[in-house]
Amino acid sequence: MTIDIQQLTNDFLEGDQDRAWDRIAEHKILMEDSHLTYEALTKAMQRVGKLWEENEISVADEHLATTTCDYVLSRYAYTRKLTSKNTTGPRALFLCIEQEQHYLGLKMISLLFQEYGWQTKLFGANLPLEHVIDTVEEWDASVVGISVSIMSHVERLNHYVTELEGLEKTPEVIVGGRLAAQYDLSKYCSRETIVVPNLDQVRLWLEDRKGGDGHV
């Protein structure tokens, strides 16, 4: 892959949606392989995060980069004809726990599930637990994906996991996000919880499910 991550990062920071998209679209391999595309977008946003942590960019800059990356992701999904309405597939919903705002990685996971034929609902940032439970029960979701990126939120993660896995019809709970890649979150989850530190692990889980029980 020859895409220039630094230039893509600059496009995000400048809010140049069209140029950022062109950098993806001009590479045939990226248009054919979502894994490589998500990897490039993730690397660019990680650079944005590092610049923010080092006080080299403002919160406004970080927000602009996020919305620009979100645009590229949405356009990519549209171009690849990815859809959440795979009517015969199993159902998965994705959310950030309350007060969590970082949703781009979650959106990539949701799109990956769509590629594998799942019906999905992406709720994005900051969804209170009671609304999660209502939707799981009403929509009969078999998987709930949760993103957590800030260490002060991990106790809240434990509450989400406990309540969801305590439902009469228990969904499988998948936990991801920046903290899943950096820390051992097992003490905030149960033995049944699936913790995925990166998109590779999500893809492996989907492949295993595809071959294992015939859902996809």
Side-chain angles (χ1 to χ4, degrees), residues 161-210:
V161 170
T162 300
E163 292 297 317
L164 286 166
E165 293 183 345
L167 293 176
E168 183 176 353
K169 191 170 182 180
T170 306
E172 291 184 88
V173 177
I174 299 177
V175 174
R178 185 171 62 87
L179 290 186
Q182 296 178 340
Y183 300 98
D184 179 6
L185 299 180
S186 59
K187 69 177 181 179
Y188 304 103
C189 303
S190 76
R191 292 182 179 180
E192 287 71 39
T193 311
I194 302 154
V195 179
V196 289
N198 53 55
L199 282 170
D200 285 334
Q201 292 300 311
V202 177
R203 190 182 293 273
L204 287 172
W205 185 89
L206 285 165
E207 284 290 340
D208 183 65
R209 171 60 69 87
K210 180 180 179 180

Side-chain angles (χ1 to χ4, degrees), residues 85-104:
K85 300 184 182 302
N86 298 301
T87 55
T88 61
R91 296 175 174 180
L93 59 88
F94 301 92
L95 60 118
C96 298
I97 62 176
E98 199 166 0
Q99 297 186 16
E100 279 280 351
Q101 303 296 330
H102 297 87
Y103 64 90
L104 287 176

Side-chain angles (χ1 to χ4, degrees), residues 25 43 68 105 132 142 169 210:
K43 287 180 178 178
T68 305
V132 182
S142 58
K169 191 170 182 180
K210 180 180 179 180

Side-chain angles (χ1 to χ4, degrees), residues 9-70:
T9 304
N10 292 340
D11 295 336
F12 287 171
L13 290 170
E14 293 167 7
D16 194 337
Q17 297 178 340
D18 291 333
R19 186 67 192 106
W21 168 251
D22 288 344
R23 286 194 198 280
I24 300 296
E26 67 190 14
H27 293 283
K28 182 179 179 182
I29 190 171
L30 295 183
M31 297 308 298
E32 295 175 347
D33 190 330
S34 64
H35 174 71
L36 294 178
T37 299
Y38 301 155
E39 184 179 69
L41 297 177
T42 298
K43 287 180 178 178
M45 287 306 298
Q46 285 173 341
R47 286 177 60 87
V48 170
K50 189 171 186 298
L51 290 170
W52 180 79
E53 288 173 356
E54 295 172 351
N55 293 318
E56 294 189 29
I57 62 172
S58 68
V59 172
D61 293 327
E62 191 267 344
H63 284 202
L64 181 60
T66 297
T67 59
T68 305
C69 183
D70 192 0

